[in-house]
Amino acid sequence: MTSDPLAQLARLSVSLPAELLSQLDAMVAERELPSRSQMIAELIRHELALHSEGQEGAVLAGAVTLIYRADRGRVRQALAQAQGSFVKEVISSQHVFLEEDQSLEVLLVQGPSERLQALCDELRKVRGVQQIKLVTTTALLPPLHAHGEAEEPGKRGAR
């Protein structure tokens, strides 16, 4: 088995309208990417993740970004309570204060697409939440814990 990533590449020929190709080339140049292929692969990964969000049972990893007003009563408490119902899906969270009494919170999440959407729906119900966005990927985090499995000799994880 070869570990050379270039050996695992497949070629694809695509015909595009000239204007669309021109816009793609401008984007590649603006982002200083080495090739069109890299940009097209990124766009395809993004669309595949969006497509997977609608697939029942698809397990996804991603981030939920929230903007909310901290001056609205117990917003942070309500958000924490909503997250508590999704303890298996919420891996970590980061909170920062923004200007004008706003807060930004980012949740690292992983789980079935339905559960991630349900989490967003619950967070969206909290009064004071101004914006919420879920961005997903089909690539998953490695298992954090091996429940019920014996640890392999010599594989002790030092964290």
Side-chain angles (χ1 to χ4, degrees), residues 94-114:
Q94 177 74 40
H95 172 268
V96 294
F97 292 103
L98 303 174
E99 294 178 330
E100 300 176 18
D101 207 25
Q102 290 183 315
S103 289
L104 167 70
E105 190 160 342
V106 179
L107 309 176
L108 181 60
V109 296
Q110 180 168 287
S113 59
E114 306 85 32

Side-chain angles (χ1 to χ4, degrees), residues 4-58:
D4 179 13
L6 293 177
Q8 298 175 9
L9 293 178
R11 296 222 178 263
L12 171 69
S13 177
V14 178
S15 298
L16 299 173
E19 179 60 27
L20 189 57
L21 180 60
S22 176
Q23 291 173 345
L24 176 66
D25 286 341
M27 185 186 297
V28 168
E30 182 179 304
R31 294 183 182 185
E32 299 178 358
L33 296 175
S35 68
R36 291 176 184 154
S37 293
Q38 189 170 341
M39 184 78 251
I40 291 170
E42 179 183 334
L43 294 170
I44 290 171
R45 283 186 200 99
H46 177 74
E47 287 302 313
L48 287 172
L50 284 175
H51 178 73
S52 294
E53 284 181 18
Q55 301 293 316
E56 189 173 322

